[in-house]
Amino acid sequence: DVEENDQPNFFVEAYTVYDGQLHHQVRRIVVPPTERMLQVSMEADKEEYLPGEEATVVMRVQTPDGKPAVGSIAIAAFDRSLEQIAPDVLPPDIREFFWKWEWQHYPSLKHGLSQQVYPCQIEGVPALQYLGIFGSFLADDLDVMEGIHDRQTQLGYQSMQNRGLELQSAEMRGGGMMQPMAAAMEQADMGALAVRSVAAADAKMAGAAPAAGQEIGVRKNFADSAVWLANVETDEQGLATARFDLPESLTSWRIAGWAVGQDTQVGSVKSSVVTRKPLLLRLQTPRFLVEQDEVVISAIVHNDTNTPKSVKVWVEIDGQTQLELLPETSRELTIDIGAFEQQRVDWRCKALAEGTVTVKSFALADDASDAMQLDIPIVVHGSLTTQSWAGTIRTEQQESSIAVRIPAERRAEHSRLTIRLSPSLALSMMDSLPYLAEYPYGCTEQTLNRFLPAVLTRKVLQDMQIDLQALANQRSNLNAQELGSPEERRAQWGSNPIYDPDKLDDMIRSGLQKLSEMQNSDGGWGWFSGVQSRSSAHITALIVRGLVLARDSGVAIVPDTLLRGDQWLAQYQRTQLELLSNAVEDKSPSKRFPDNTDALVLHSLLMANMAAANDSDAVNAMQKALYEHRKELSIYGKSLLALATRQLQLTEQVAMLKANIEQFLVQDQENETAFLADETSAWYWYGSAIEANAMYLKLLAEEDPQGITAPRLVKYLLNNRKHASYWNSTRDTALVVEAFAEYLQASQETAVDMSVEVLLDDKRIGSVDFSTD
């Protein structure tokens, strides 16, 4: 006996042994929850409707034993074409969400007949194995073996089917229910199909032509969805009635209902109705027009009756100043259409001005009519565009002018002249301090990148005698890439430590203390401090150079800290020179060429300028090796070498290195920017394009601060900031701030009061004054 507890399914297994073989079969028995399935039927008052007509739908909900059920019904009516356009978003049968689940059974079978016996293998004695390239078979047996293999594959597939291992039927995989359960449900739903009223008389569907002076109904509601009723309650008889107006599209409509009763009883039903007219007009237009377009607007008239008709067709355009019929086009035509045929009528039009124009088309026969209305947007012939110009007032100049051409055909209300002016481009470096201050620091390099920019920025602003407190109250948008009022930008910046002397001093003091604590016992620095820390030439050179810059900016540095770091670098340099010498003498270990790290170490040693640690012979030898093999260096490394060579006063070599670097220089005259194009080689992960340009700016600050390249390079770096504040990393940001500080000191760029005058045909039409703040 099959009981209720056997839902949703159970399995029956059978075993038998015959002729020395074990036979096994599994069958799945589906027990659908019929007592949970509601019988839902739907009946519409008509099978065919006129467009825009009210439809009445009656839903009947019954329990599995045919009694009225009280519950809630959701009803939707939509264009049936959506089922083909978007089938994946349409809800399936509601019963699947509750009763499609089933038990799975994966039998594991072991028996004595499946045991296999292999020859014993004696240790030290070769095991028995098949002879020949075909193993245990002869070459003549291969055709037989292929047949056996195919037969085994087929038997294996049948065995899987017999054991019930298939997870779901094809219908289940497609989102439907299991075939046995679906069959049971269909049985339970018998008699619950929608009952439609039939035989809508031709006279009722005629859509007769209006009498003289009577208006023709114009169809303009072409919605894809007719109605969505989320909750319609059934009465005691299990009946629910829904009334709604159908849109004016001539199409087939799907009406679907989903019912939920007591004790999680569910059911659903679908039906279809049609909106139709015997005389149908379809208006075909582009989705939009552009000013000056010439277009053909078409009306296709269908005669769905069994008699030929003479039809008068015409068009009306609301907005003749925006869309006009061309003179050769007739507004009104009379056409003859055969039974169950269609014919097309065209009107040539021209779009004159932007806006939205309403097009109506009418079709009138002796006993039928139709009309349709569409709104066509006309967009402007053109697009919003931005033209940019740039100019620079150099130190020796008092004024500069930019000529701007204003297009004659433009929208005055959309036209705007925006003047963005920075009193000092490099002063924007202060915007990066919040990023450096708030970064979650941990390693040695990041600690340096927080400490050094704060020192340099404070020193630059003090040297320029800028009142930081006044600047905090009056600060404007210093970013040439950003729009917005000073108030808006000020609100976005948040708290900048540059305007808080106490916070800035704390950044410098805590950074210096942490760098001192991170120094290893051998005098160098590694990535992280601690007992296991190993000193790195790269990190040590960066720290030594940073401490030298801080010392020169007025920060008190413990002499022993800097001296020990300088000594570590000097020893590292001697070690590298020995490796280079071994390469010449063909000894091991050796090093063929000096690298970028050697250039950084040399630069840091010369900056420190400590006679106790520096060996002039070693310094000269490393500089010579680097210069001879400069082609092996990146742009960053060549700039480091040029700075070090300049300190050694080797003028000709500095000029050569500068020429080597500037073969990659690109000058953008229009934007007044300059940059070094990407090089094929990179200095590992710490040699980015931003760092290469920043180090080249440091070289220009010493070699040619008043030239045109240096300020253009500054502008390029500013334009490549992230979020208008900082660069790709703390290392990039710190090095750019360092380069900006040196450029400001070398170029003697100052923040001055400026004014801008706007002239139109040599006549002054406006002016703006900009103060230092």
Side-chain angles (χ1 to χ4, degrees):
D1 295 334
V2 178
E3 300 178 353
E4 184 177 357
N5 293 337
D6 294 323
Q7 295 177 2
N9 64 301
F10 63 91
F11 296 87
V12 176
E13 297 186 56
Y15 301 85
T16 187
V17 177
Y18 175 75
D19 196 17
Q21 292 185 352
L22 176 66
H23 301 270
H24 174 217
Q25 293 289 335
V26 179
R27 288 293 181 265
R28 179 183 54 194
I29 309 298
V30 177
V31 186
T34 55
E35 73 281 358
R36 301 284 188 176
M37 300 178 188
L38 293 176
Q39 302 182 38
V40 187
S41 61
M42 178 188 303
E43 182 177 349
D45 59 338
K46 292 182 180 181
E47 187 179 35
E48 296 183 355
Y49 293 87
L50 290 172
E53 189 176 359
E54 183 184 69
T56 301
V57 177
V58 178
M59 305 280 291
R60 180 184 298 275
V61 182
Q62 295 176 320
T63 60
D65 55 2
K67 296 180 181 180
V70 177
S72 176
I73 303 176
I75 300 176
F78 51 90
D79 195 319
R80 283 191 63 183
S81 62
L82 296 180
E83 293 182 332
Q84 301 300 322
I85 297 175
D88 53 330
V89 299
L90 294 174
D93 191 325
I94 192 173
R95 294 172 293 191
E96 289 191 22
F97 293 102
F98 296 89
W99 313 121
K100 75 175 182 180
W101 316 110
E102 66 168 348
W103 294 107
Q104 301 295 330
H105 181 52
Y106 304 99
S108 177
L109 182 61
K110 294 183 179 179
H111 53 85
L113 296 179
S114 64
Q115 294 182 357
Q116 297 183 7
V117 179
Y118 300 93
C120 294
Q121 183 175 354
I122 302 175
E123 183 177 358
V125 178
L128 296 177
Q129 53 186 323
Y130 296 115
L131 301 177
I133 62 173
F134 301 108
S136 61
F137 301 98
L138 298 177
D140 297 338
D141 297 332
L142 287 181
D143 295 336
V144 178
M145 283 306 303
E146 289 179 359
I148 295 176
H149 178 269
D150 295 340
R151 178 59 179 165
Q152 289 177 340
T153 302
Q154 183 177 4
L155 290 175
Y157 176 74
Q158 292 177 352
S159 176
M160 286 181 61
Q161 287 187 323
N162 294 337
R163 294 183 182 184
L165 294 181
E166 69 279 5
L167 297 180
Q168 296 173 332
S169 65
E171 185 178 355
M172 183 70 176
R173 290 193 298 271
M177 301 197 63
M178 300 172 295
Q179 291 181 357
M181 188 176 289
M185 290 184 175
E186 290 178 1
Q187 182 101 17
D189 280 345
M190 226 176 245
L193 299 177
V195 181
R196 304 187 183 96
S197 59
V198 191
D202 289 342
K204 295 182 180 180
M205 293 300 299
Q214 193 175 10
E215 291 187 1
I216 301 176
V218 180
R219 296 185 290 112
K220 51 188 176 183
N221 178 16
F222 305 109
D224 294 327
S225 176
V227 69
W228 163 251
L229 302 175
N231 186 19
V232 180
E233 299 291 340
T234 61
D235 57 18
E236 296 179 354
Q237 285 75 38
L239 299 177
T241 303
R243 295 181 176 86
F244 53 91
D245 293 333
L246 291 167
E248 295 174 327
S249 304
L250 303 181
T251 185
S252 177
W253 299 92
R254 172 70 77 190
I255 304 177
W258 300 271
V260 178
Q262 299 176 349
D263 298 328
T264 324
Q265 293 177 317
V266 294
S268 58
V269 68
K270 289 184 179 180
S271 181
S272 298
V273 296
V274 176
T275 49
R276 179 178 296 162
K277 294 187 72 173
L279 184 67
L280 164 63
L281 180 143
R282 291 190 295 114
L283 194 58
Q284 293 187 333
T285 67
R287 292 187 297 110
F288 67 93
L289 298 175
V290 179
E291 288 178 316
Q292 305 178 15
D293 276 354
E294 290 190 11
V295 65
V296 174
I297 295 177
S298 302
I300 300 178
V301 184
H302 297 255
N303 177 16
D304 290 340
T305 66
N306 54 8
T307 58
K309 290 189 179 296
S310 177
V311 182
K312 177 182 176 182
V313 184
W314 71 95
V315 67
E316 294 181 2
I317 300 176
D318 296 341
Q320 291 291 328
T321 59
Q322 296 171 318
L323 183 68
E324 68 172 358
L325 289 175
L326 295 181
E328 65 272 16
T329 301
S330 176
R331 181 184 301 274
E332 179 180 317
L333 295 171
T334 300
I335 56 177
D336 295 325
I337 308 177
F340 302 107
E341 293 182 359
Q342 65 182 31
Q343 193 165 333
R344 171 176 155 178
V345 179
D346 295 334
W347 296 281
R348 295 187 63 85
C349 305
K350 183 175 182 179
L352 302 178
E354 68 168 326
T356 301
V357 63
T358 300
V359 178
K360 300 178 183 178
S361 184
F362 300 83
L364 178 62
D366 54 353
D367 57 351
S369 65
D370 191 21
M372 183 175 175
Q373 170 183 317
L374 288 178
D375 293 334
I376 307 175
I378 302 177
V379 299
V380 65
H381 184 261
S383 61
L384 290 175
T385 183
T386 300
Q387 299 185 31
S388 302
W389 298 266
T392 304
I393 301 178
R394 304 304 305 277
T395 305
E396 66 276 5
Q397 294 176 301
Q398 293 297 320
E399 64 179 25
S400 178
S401 63
I402 300 174
V404 178
R405 179 177 294 277
I406 303 176
E409 294 184 356
R410 65 182 179 88
R411 298 292 176 85
E413 64 274 13
H414 294 161
S415 300
R416 174 182 296 177
L417 174 64
T418 302
I419 301 174
R420 297 190 290 266
L421 191 143
S422 296
S424 172
L425 287 176
L427 278 177
S428 299
M429 66 186 184
M430 68 179 63
D431 292 347
S432 63
L433 289 187
Y435 161 72
L436 295 173
E438 297 170 4
Y439 195 87
Y441 292 89
C443 73
T444 311
E445 184 185 38
Q446 291 167 344
T447 303
L448 174 70
N449 295 339
R450 184 175 189 264
F451 160 75
L452 186 59
V455 172
L456 298 177
T457 304
R458 184 181 67 174
K459 178 69 165 54
V460 167
L461 296 178
Q462 289 175 349
D463 292 345
M464 297 179 70
Q465 298 181 352
I466 293 179
D467 186 351
L468 295 179
Q469 188 60 44
L471 192 61
N473 298 328
Q474 301 292 334
R475 53 185 170 164
S476 299
N477 181 3
L478 298 180
N479 177 24
Q481 295 295 301
E482 293 282 330
L483 289 175
S485 66
E487 293 76 14
E488 293 173 347
R489 289 287 293 134
R490 189 180 301 121
Q492 297 172 6
W493 278 344
S495 175
N496 192 330
I498 194 65
Y499 305 113
D500 188 343
D502 294 336
K503 188 173 183 179
L504 192 62
D505 291 342
D506 181 68
M507 286 176 59
I508 296 173
R509 183 170 52 254
S510 61
L512 180 59
Q513 180 180 354
K514 192 172 181 180
L515 287 174
S516 300
E517 294 172 351
M518 285 181 163
Q519 189 172 23
N520 295 328
S521 59
D522 59 1
W525 281 268
W527 285 105
F528 292 91
S529 61
V531 178
Q532 301 296 330
S533 176
R534 296 180 57 186
S535 297
S536 162
H538 169 228
I539 297 298
T540 303
L542 290 178
I543 301 298
V544 168
R545 190 184 71 174
L547 293 177
V548 170
L549 291 171
R551 181 195 63 187
D552 296 342
S553 299
V555 178
I557 306 295
V558 177
D560 183 64
T561 301
L562 192 54
L563 178 61
R564 292 171 58 217
D566 191 72
Q567 290 173 341
W568 192 96
L569 290 178
Q571 177 60 38
Y572 174 83
Q573 186 178 74
R574 286 191 290 268
T575 302
Q576 301 305 305
L577 286 171
E578 183 177 352
L579 293 175
L580 291 172
S581 176
N582 288 345
V584 175
E585 299 175 7
D586 198 18
K587 296 180 180 180
S588 181
S590 63
K591 179 178 178 178
R592 293 184 59 195
F593 307 112
D595 53 26
N596 295 282
T597 302
D598 293 324
L600 177 61
V601 170
L602 177 66
H603 172 61
S604 299
L605 284 171
L606 288 172
M607 282 188 62
N609 193 23
M610 292 185 175
N614 288 341
D615 183 345
S616 59
D617 293 338
V619 168
N620 292 331
M622 179 58 75
Q623 190 278 335
K624 180 180 179 181
L626 285 166
Y627 183 77
E628 290 177 352
H629 298 285
R630 59 187 180 275
K631 68 177 182 179
E632 307 296 334
L633 301 177
S634 66
I635 292 179
Y636 188 96
K638 290 185 180 72
S639 299
L640 287 169
L641 177 59
L643 289 168
T645 304
R646 191 175 187 277
Q647 288 183 269
L648 295 175
Q649 299 181 357
L650 302 175
T651 307
E652 293 183 0
Q653 293 187 12
V654 173
M656 177 59 70
L657 287 167
K658 192 167 178 286
N660 294 154
I661 296 171
E662 290 177 350
Q663 63 180 320
F664 301 101
L665 183 64
V666 177
Q667 296 276 3
D668 189 334
Q669 302 290 343
E670 183 177 0
N671 293 319
E672 292 195 336
T673 59
F675 61 95
L676 295 170
D678 287 341
E679 209 176 0
T680 54
S681 61
W683 187 17
Y684 302 108
W685 63 268
Y686 44 82
S688 70
I690 294 295
E691 291 177 298
N693 282 277
M695 189 57 69
Y696 175 59
L697 179 60
K698 284 170 60 69
L699 177 62
L700 291 179
E702 296 189 10
E703 282 289 307
D704 188 17
Q706 302 298 334
I708 64 170
T709 303
R712 289 183 174 183
L713 194 58
V714 170
K715 187 175 180 181
Y716 171 81
L717 289 170
L718 286 174
N719 291 350
N720 282 275
R721 290 178 295 178
K722 296 176 64 176
H723 307 293
S725 300
Y726 55 89
W727 286 265
N728 296 329
S729 65
T730 59
R731 175 178 168 82
D732 285 353
T733 304
L735 188 56
V736 172
V737 171
E738 178 184 331
F740 279 5
E742 294 187 16
Y743 166 73
L744 280 171
Q745 293 173 349
S747 65
Q748 298 181 347
E749 180 180 310
T750 58
V752 297
D753 294 339
M754 292 173 284
S755 64
V756 175
E757 292 187 354
V758 183
L759 308 178
L760 180 61
D761 296 333
D762 296 330
K763 180 180 178 181
R764 176 175 172 175
I765 62 174
S767 64
V768 184
D769 291 330
F770 295 86
S771 67
T772 300
D773 297 331

mmCIF file of all heavy atoms in Angstrom, residues 519-545:
data_model
loop_
_atom_site.group_PDB
_atom_site.id
_atom_site.type_symbol
_atom_site.label_atom_id
_atom_site.label_comp_id
_atom_site.label_asym_id
_atom_site.label_seq_id
_atom_site.Cartn_x
_atom_site.Cartn_y
_atom_site.Cartn_z
ATOM 1 N N GLN A 519 66.090 50.872 12.448
ATOM 2 C CA GLN A 519 67.444 50.635 11.939
ATOM 3 C C GLN A 519 68.018 49.352 12.541
ATOM 4 O O GLN A 519 67.914 49.112 13.748
ATOM 5 C CB GLN A 519 68.343 51.819 12.272
ATOM 6 C CG GLN A 519 69.714 51.756 11.595
ATOM 7 C CD GLN A 519 70.499 53.032 11.802
ATOM 8 O OE1 GLN A 519 70.263 53.782 12.750
ATOM 9 N NE2 GLN A 519 71.460 53.297 10.910
ATOM 10 N N ASN A 520 68.608 48.513 11.694
ATOM 11 C CA ASN A 520 69.189 47.253 12.142
ATOM 12 C C ASN A 520 70.534 47.483 12.826
ATOM 13 O O ASN A 520 71.143 48.556 12.725
ATOM 14 C CB ASN A 520 69.363 46.300 10.952
ATOM 15 C CG ASN A 520 68.024 45.899 10.358
ATOM 16 O OD1 ASN A 520 67.024 45.806 11.066
ATOM 17 N ND2 ASN A 520 68.008 45.648 9.054
ATOM 18 N N SER A 521 71.008 46.461 13.494
ATOM 19 C CA SER A 521 72.267 46.567 14.235
ATOM 20 C C SER A 521 73.461 46.797 13.316
ATOM 21 O O SER A 521 74.474 47.365 13.737
ATOM 22 C CB SER A 521 72.492 45.300 15.072
ATOM 23 O OG SER A 521 72.518 44.148 14.227
ATOM 24 N N ASP A 522 73.366 46.379 12.037
ATOM 25 C CA ASP A 522 74.488 46.583 11.117
ATOM 26 C C ASP A 522 74.472 47.965 10.480
ATOM 27 O O ASP A 522 75.354 48.279 9.667
ATOM 28 C CB ASP A 522 74.488 45.504 10.035
ATOM 29 C CG ASP A 522 73.192 45.500 9.217
ATOM 30 O OD1 ASP A 522 72.307 46.352 9.474
ATOM 31 O OD2 ASP A 522 73.058 44.629 8.330
ATOM 32 N N GLY A 523 73.466 48.790 10.814
ATOM 33 C CA GLY A 523 73.402 50.148 10.306
ATOM 34 C C GLY A 523 72.447 50.343 9.145
ATOM 35 O O GLY A 523 72.108 51.479 8.785
ATOM 36 N N GLY A 524 71.982 49.248 8.526
ATOM 37 C CA GLY A 524 71.058 49.358 7.400
ATOM 38 C C GLY A 524 69.612 49.232 7.837
ATOM 39 O O GLY A 524 69.285 49.101 9.016
ATOM 40 N N TRP A 525 68.753 49.285 6.845
ATOM 41 C CA TRP A 525 67.317 49.122 7.089
ATOM 42 C C TRP A 525 66.772 48.024 6.174
ATOM 43 O O TRP A 525 67.253 47.850 5.037
ATOM 44 C CB TRP A 525 66.545 50.406 6.786
ATOM 45 C CG TRP A 525 66.615 51.461 7.847
ATOM 46 C CD1 TRP A 525 65.761 51.664 8.878
ATOM 47 C CD2 TRP A 525 67.616 52.484 7.967
ATOM 48 N NE1 TRP A 525 66.143 52.738 9.637
ATOM 49 C CE2 TRP A 525 67.289 53.270 9.105
ATOM 50 C CE3 TRP A 525 68.764 52.814 7.249
ATOM 51 C CZ2 TRP A 525 68.046 54.351 9.517
ATOM 52 C CZ3 TRP A 525 69.520 53.897 7.654
ATOM 53 C CH2 TRP A 525 69.175 54.652 8.785
ATOM 54 N N GLY A 526 65.781 47.286 6.666
ATOM 55 C CA GLY A 526 65.087 46.289 5.855
ATOM 56 C C GLY A 526 63.640 46.702 5.674
ATOM 57 O O GLY A 526 63.214 47.804 6.036
ATOM 58 N N TRP A 527 62.856 45.769 5.136
ATOM 59 C CA TRP A 527 61.437 46.095 4.904
ATOM 60 C C TRP A 527 60.708 46.303 6.225
ATOM 61 O O TRP A 527 59.893 47.208 6.368
ATOM 62 C CB TRP A 527 60.773 44.973 4.107
ATOM 63 C CG TRP A 527 61.148 44.983 2.660
ATOM 64 C CD1 TRP A 527 62.014 44.137 2.034
ATOM 65 C CD2 TRP A 527 60.715 45.908 1.680
ATOM 66 N NE1 TRP A 527 62.145 44.471 0.706
ATOM 67 C CE2 TRP A 527 61.346 45.560 0.462
ATOM 68 C CE3 TRP A 527 59.860 47.003 1.692
ATOM 69 C CZ2 TRP A 527 61.143 46.253 -0.713
ATOM 70 C CZ3 TRP A 527 59.646 47.705 0.510
ATOM 71 C CH2 TRP A 527 60.287 47.334 -0.675
ATOM 72 N N PHE A 528 60.994 45.436 7.194
ATOM 73 C CA PHE A 528 60.369 45.549 8.505
ATOM 74 C C PHE A 528 61.465 45.447 9.562
ATOM 75 O O PHE A 528 62.517 44.833 9.350
ATOM 76 C CB PHE A 528 59.327 44.448 8.729
ATOM 77 C CG PHE A 528 58.122 44.590 7.851
ATOM 78 C CD1 PHE A 528 58.068 43.964 6.616
ATOM 79 C CD2 PHE A 528 57.026 45.350 8.247
ATOM 80 C CE1 PHE A 528 56.961 44.085 5.794
ATOM 81 C CE2 PHE A 528 55.924 45.475 7.441
ATOM 82 C CZ PHE A 528 55.885 44.849 6.213
ATOM 83 N N SER A 529 61.240 46.060 10.735
ATOM 84 C CA SER A 529 62.200 45.989 11.820
ATOM 85 C C SER A 529 62.019 44.685 12.587
ATOM 86 O O SER A 529 60.994 44.017 12.468
ATOM 87 C CB SER A 529 62.007 47.182 12.766
ATOM 88 O OG SER A 529 60.701 47.153 13.321
ATOM 89 N N GLY A 530 63.018 44.336 13.369
ATOM 90 C CA GLY A 530 62.933 43.129 14.180
ATOM 91 C C GLY A 530 64.224 42.336 14.131
ATOM 92 O O GLY A 530 65.166 42.643 13.369
ATOM 93 N N VAL A 531 64.250 41.272 14.922
ATOM 94 C CA VAL A 531 65.461 40.459 15.031
ATOM 95 C C VAL A 531 65.789 39.794 13.698
ATOM 96 O O VAL A 531 66.952 39.652 13.306
ATOM 97 C CB VAL A 531 65.288 39.408 16.156
ATOM 98 C CG1 VAL A 531 66.528 38.531 16.252
ATOM 99 C CG2 VAL A 531 64.998 40.092 17.486
ATOM 100 N N GLN A 532 64.763 39.345 12.987
ATOM 101 C CA GLN A 532 64.980 38.613 11.737
ATOM 102 C C GLN A 532 65.155 39.536 10.532
ATOM 103 O O GLN A 532 65.280 39.059 9.404
ATOM 104 C CB GLN A 532 63.789 37.680 11.487
ATOM 105 C CG GLN A 532 63.551 36.656 12.586
ATOM 106 C CD GLN A 532 64.697 35.675 12.718
ATOM 107 O OE1 GLN A 532 65.372 35.373 11.740
ATOM 108 N NE2 GLN A 532 64.915 35.171 13.931
ATOM 109 N N SER A 533 65.130 40.858 10.736
ATOM 110 C CA SER A 533 65.193 41.785 9.608
ATOM 111 C C SER A 533 66.567 41.749 8.944
ATOM 112 O O SER A 533 67.598 41.734 9.622
ATOM 113 C CB SER A 533 64.877 43.204 10.085
ATOM 114 O OG SER A 533 65.017 44.128 9.028
ATOM 115 N N ARG A 534 66.547 41.755 7.605
ATOM 116 C CA ARG A 534 67.784 41.793 6.824
ATOM 117 C C ARG A 534 67.848 43.123 6.101
ATOM 118 O O ARG A 534 66.877 43.577 5.493
ATOM 119 C CB ARG A 534 67.824 40.649 5.819
ATOM 120 C CG ARG A 534 67.860 39.272 6.456
ATOM 121 C CD ARG A 534 67.893 38.192 5.390
ATOM 122 N NE ARG A 534 69.026 38.354 4.486
ATOM 123 C CZ ARG A 534 69.218 37.604 3.400
ATOM 124 N NH1 ARG A 534 68.342 36.653 3.082
ATOM 125 N NH2 ARG A 534 70.274 37.796 2.644
ATOM 126 N N SER A 535 69.006 43.777 6.160
ATOM 127 C CA SER A 535 69.163 45.093 5.550
ATOM 128 C C SER A 535 69.113 44.978 4.038
ATOM 129 O O SER A 535 69.647 44.031 3.435
ATOM 130 C CB SER A 535 70.487 45.738 5.995
ATOM 131 O OG SER A 535 70.485 45.956 7.387
ATOM 132 N N SER A 536 68.453 45.952 3.410
ATOM 133 C CA SER A 536 68.288 45.997 1.959
ATOM 134 C C SER A 536 68.973 47.243 1.428
ATOM 135 O O SER A 536 68.827 48.341 2.005
ATOM 136 C CB SER A 536 66.793 46.014 1.603
ATOM 137 O OG SER A 536 66.575 46.467 0.287
ATOM 138 N N ALA A 537 69.723 47.085 0.340
ATOM 139 C CA ALA A 537 70.397 48.239 -0.258
ATOM 140 C C ALA A 537 69.385 49.262 -0.756
ATOM 141 O O ALA A 537 69.582 50.480 -0.604
ATOM 142 C CB ALA A 537 71.297 47.767 -1.403
ATOM 143 N N HIS A 538 68.325 48.778 -1.338
ATOM 144 C CA HIS A 538 67.292 49.672 -1.869
ATOM 145 C C HIS A 538 66.651 50.488 -0.750
ATOM 146 O O HIS A 538 66.581 51.724 -0.807
ATOM 147 C CB HIS A 538 66.236 48.834 -2.600
ATOM 148 C CG HIS A 538 64.997 49.590 -2.954
ATOM 149 N ND1 HIS A 538 63.740 49.107 -2.701
ATOM 150 C CD2 HIS A 538 64.824 50.806 -3.501
ATOM 151 C CE1 HIS A 538 62.857 49.979 -3.098
ATOM 152 N NE2 HIS A 538 63.474 51.014 -3.595
ATOM 153 N N ILE A 539 66.215 49.805 0.325
ATOM 154 C CA ILE A 539 65.550 50.498 1.427
ATOM 155 C C ILE A 539 66.529 51.412 2.157
ATOM 156 O O ILE A 539 66.211 52.560 2.489
ATOM 157 C CB ILE A 539 64.934 49.480 2.406
ATOM 158 C CG1 ILE A 539 63.841 48.663 1.688
ATOM 159 C CG2 ILE A 539 64.340 50.185 3.610
ATOM 160 C CD1 ILE A 539 62.688 49.470 1.187
ATOM 161 N N THR A 540 67.740 50.945 2.399
ATOM 162 C CA THR A 540 68.723 51.750 3.121
ATOM 163 C C THR A 540 69.057 53.018 2.344
ATOM 164 O O THR A 540 69.164 54.112 2.928
ATOM 165 C CB THR A 540 69.995 50.925 3.379
ATOM 166 O OG1 THR A 540 69.656 49.733 4.097
ATOM 167 C CG2 THR A 540 71.002 51.720 4.173
ATOM 168 N N ALA A 541 69.218 52.901 1.025
ATOM 169 C CA ALA A 541 69.525 54.084 0.214
ATOM 170 C C ALA A 541 68.375 55.091 0.264
ATOM 171 O O ALA A 541 68.602 56.305 0.336
ATOM 172 C CB ALA A 541 69.808 53.665 -1.227
ATOM 173 N N LEU A 542 67.133 54.597 0.229
ATOM 174 C CA LEU A 542 65.987 55.505 0.319
ATOM 175 C C LEU A 542 65.954 56.215 1.672
ATOM 176 O O LEU A 542 65.697 57.429 1.748
ATOM 177 C CB LEU A 542 64.679 54.727 0.110
ATOM 178 C CG LEU A 542 64.389 54.189 -1.288
ATOM 179 C CD1 LEU A 542 63.079 53.413 -1.295
ATOM 180 C CD2 LEU A 542 64.329 55.325 -2.300
ATOM 181 N N ILE A 543 66.206 55.473 2.762
ATOM 182 C CA ILE A 543 66.143 56.071 4.089
ATOM 183 C C ILE A 543 67.265 57.104 4.263
ATOM 184 O O ILE A 543 67.030 58.215 4.773
ATOM 185 C CB ILE A 543 66.249 54.984 5.180
ATOM 186 C CG1 ILE A 543 65.101 53.968 5.031
ATOM 187 C CG2 ILE A 543 66.225 55.617 6.560
ATOM 188 C CD1 ILE A 543 63.737 54.541 5.187
ATOM 189 N N VAL A 544 68.470 56.780 3.827
ATOM 190 C CA VAL A 544 69.588 57.712 3.958
ATOM 191 C C VAL A 544 69.303 58.989 3.181
ATOM 192 O O VAL A 544 69.517 60.117 3.680
ATOM 193 C CB VAL A 544 70.895 57.045 3.495
ATOM 194 C CG1 VAL A 544 72.009 58.085 3.345
ATOM 195 C CG2 VAL A 544 71.309 55.960 4.472
ATOM 196 N N ARG A 545 68.848 58.855 1.958
ATOM 197 C CA ARG A 545 68.524 60.046 1.154
ATOM 198 C C ARG A 545 67.426 60.865 1.815
ATOM 199 O O ARG A 545 67.470 62.095 1.861
ATOM 200 C CB ARG A 545 68.100 59.635 -0.252
ATOM 201 C CG ARG A 545 67.981 60.811 -1.213
ATOM 202 C CD ARG A 545 67.479 60.376 -2.557
ATOM 203 N NE ARG A 545 66.067 59.990 -2.488
ATOM 204 C CZ ARG A 545 65.338 59.682 -3.554
ATOM 205 N NH1 ARG A 545 65.907 59.645 -4.735
ATOM 206 N NH2 ARG A 545 64.071 59.359 -3.432
#
